[in-house]
C-alpha cells in the first residue's frame, strides 16, 4: 500500500470548501495536492476529445459520463503514488431526476480514500454564502428548505462512501466567521 493518502473533502457549493482548504493548507505541516474532481473530470473528457468547454460536460451521455468519472478517479489514484492528495468534490449532485452520487461505488473504490470529511454549515449560512460569490451555484437556486434536504442527502451519501471503503468519516462545521477554526479541525483530522 502507498504511504501517501487520498482524502476526500465534500460539502455543498458555498459551504466554504475553497476558503477552509486554502487556510488549512497554510496550517498543515504535511504537503497535500488539492484536486478538484470536477476539474479533473473535465480534463479527462478533454483529453479523450469528448468536450472542449466545461458546459459540454452536461451533454455527455450517462454511460460515457460514468466512464469519465472512473478514469478521473484512476488518474487521481496515480497522483497519490508520490504525494498526499485531497480531492475536493460533492457527495450528492442535484438533478431534475433526483440526486446523483458524486462518489458512486466505482469512484469511491478507485480513489480508496483514508478519510472522507464533510464540511457543513447551517442552511441559512450556506444560502447566504452562495449568494455572496459570483459563481452560479445550485444551492442559491435550492432555497433554504432545499439546502436542508440537500445537506441531509449529501451526508447520507458521504457516510455510504465510508461504509464502502472503510474510510474515516468526519463532519466539520464551518460556522460564520470561523473558517480558521474549521481549517484547524480539518488539519487535525487529516494529520491525525
Ligand atoms: N466561516 C465562514 N464564515 C463566513 N463566510 C464564509 C466562511 N467560509 C466561507 N465563507 C464565504 O462563503 C463564500 C463561499 O465560500 P467558498 O470557499 O467559495 O465555498 P465552496 O468552495 O464550498 O463553494 C465565500 O464568499 C467565502 O468568503
Amino acid at each position: 500500500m502507498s504511504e501517501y493518502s487520498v482524502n476526500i473533502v465534500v460539502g455543498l457549493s458555498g459551504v466554504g470548501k475553497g476558503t477552509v482548504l486554502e487556510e488549512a493548507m497554510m496550517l498543515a505541516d504535511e504537503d497535500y495536492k488539492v484536486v478538484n474532481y470536477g476539474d479533473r473530470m473535465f480534463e479527462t473528457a478533454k483529453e479523450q476529445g469528448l468536450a472542449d468547454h466545461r458546459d459540454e460536460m452536461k451533454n455527455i451521455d450517462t454511460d460515457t459520463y460514468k466512464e469519465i468519472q472512473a478514469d478521473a478517479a484512476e488518474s487521481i489514484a496515480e497522483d497519490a503514488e508520490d504525494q498526499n492528495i485531497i480531492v475536493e468534490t460533492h457527495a450528492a449532485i442535484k438533478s431534475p431526476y433526483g440526486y446523483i452520487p458524486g462518489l458512486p461505488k466505482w469512484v469511491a473504490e478507485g480513489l480508496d480514500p483514508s478519510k472522507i470529511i464533510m464540511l457543513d454549515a447551517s442552511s441559512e449560512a450556506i444560502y447566504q454564502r452562495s449568494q455572496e460569490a459570483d459563481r452560479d451555484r445550485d444551492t442559491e437556486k435550492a432555497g433554504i428548505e432545499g439546502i436542508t434536504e440537500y445537506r441531509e442527502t449529501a451526508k447520507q451519501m458521504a457516510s455510504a462512501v465510508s461504509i464502502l471503503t472503510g474510510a474515516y468519516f468526519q463532519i466539520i462545521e464551518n460556522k460564520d466567521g470561523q473558517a480558521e477554526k474549521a481549517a484547524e479541525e480539518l488539519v487535525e483530522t487529516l494529520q491525525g
Side-chain angles (χ1 to χ4, degrees):
M1 209 177 104
S2 156
E3 59 182 299
Y4 297 99
S5 62
V6 174
N7 307 279
I8 301 177
V9 172
V10 294
L12 267 61
S13 291
V15 74
K17 293 184 296 301
T19 310
V20 173
L21 272 169
E22 200 182 321
E23 188 83 34
M25 292 306 94
M26 290 192 285
L27 298 173
D29 298 329
E30 287 173 40
D31 286 333
Y32 295 88
K33 178 179 180 180
V34 179
V35 179
N36 180 294
Y37 198 75
D39 289 350
R40 184 61 66 94
M41 277 189 65
F42 172 54
E43 286 159 22
T44 306
K46 208 169 167 183
E47 274 168 26
Q48 297 179 5
L50 297 165
D52 279 326
H53 300 283
R54 241 194 134 111
D55 287 355
E56 290 166 20
M57 295 294 290
K58 287 195 285 252
N59 307 328
I60 293 172
D61 69 89
T62 313
D63 287 343
T64 312
Y65 194 85
K66 286 179 181 173
E67 279 171 30
I68 298 169
Q69 258 184 324
D71 289 349
E74 204 175 303
S75 92
I76 294 170
E78 279 169 22
D79 288 355
E81 283 169 16
D82 55 10
Q83 59 203 320
N84 294 311
I85 303 284
I86 296 176
V87 183
E88 181 187 346
T89 189
H90 296 275
I93 299 137
K94 207 172 164 75
S95 93
Y97 317 108
Y99 290 95
I100 302 165
L103 297 158
K105 189 169 181 275
W106 60 89
V107 173
E109 288 177 348
L111 291 174
D112 190 20
S114 312
K115 287 167 185 156
I116 171 153
I117 301 146
M118 182 175 185
L119 265 192
D120 197 22
S122 70
S123 302
E124 288 78 6
I126 293 174
Y127 182 69
Q128 223 155 36
R129 291 175 201 166
S130 63
Q131 285 185 316
E132 280 165 25
D134 50 6
R135 268 184 283 157
D136 185 23
R137 292 169 191 265
D138 49 3
T139 38
E140 190 178 345
K141 291 185 211 111
I144 290 172
E145 267 180 42
I147 290 174
T148 301
E149 183 193 281
Y150 206 148
R151 284 171 54 217
E152 195 54 42
T153 308
K155 207 174 286 181
Q156 287 161 355
M157 288 191 172
S159 85
V161 174
S162 167
I163 294 168
L164 272 178
T165 61
Y168 288 96
F169 180 37
Q170 178 80 291
I171 299 172
I172 295 176
E173 183 87 4
N174 180 24
K175 292 203 177 111
D176 256 343
Q178 294 186 30
E180 195 177 333
K181 183 165 175 279
E184 282 166 12
E185 283 178 36
L186 176 57
V187 171
E188 260 173 50
T189 301
L190 288 169
Q191 295 184 168

